Amino acid sequence: MAALAVVRDLREHQAPASQEELERFETDALYGFVLAGASAGLADGTIRGDVGHLDQGRTWFGCPLWDMEPADADAYYGKVLRGS
């Protein structure tokens, strides 16, 4: 017979993430992206180019990329990168 457990929502007990915690998470996510590409056998140059594009988009957007909406991506790729 399966045992029952009490489950509670942890969001109500956690303070919002600090700016430093968000920056560390973003760095960890980027490292995970790089490691996933390397483990998939992508060339170093391909990974470097992908990271460069993400960094440029992040710099232009000024916020973590997970905050980007489709309209923001359209503006970046349609206006900013069109001339390059």
Side-chain angles (χ1 to χ4, degrees):
M1 175 176 229
L4 297 177
V6 176
V7 179
R8 61 184 173 164
D9 188 354
L10 294 176
R11 290 175 289 191
E12 62 192 46
H13 298 290
Q14 291 181 338
S18 69
Q19 185 63 33
E20 182 180 321
E21 290 171 320
L22 287 174
E23 289 171 2
R24 282 197 319 249
F25 176 75
E26 190 173 19
T27 300
D28 288 348
L30 184 59
Y31 285 156
F33 176 78
V34 169
L35 290 173
S39 68
L42 295 177
D44 289 348
T46 301
I47 296 170
R48 195 171 20 261
D50 290 346
V51 169
H53 289 298
L54 287 172
D55 187 47
Q56 285 177 339
R58 168 67 170 86
T59 300
W60 173 82
F61 188 55
C63 292
L65 292 176
W66 55 77
D67 288 341
M68 187 178 271
E69 297 289 331
D72 301 319
D74 289 345
Y76 177 68
Y77 289 107
K79 296 176 184 172
V80 176
L81 292 183
R82 178 173 283 167
S84 58

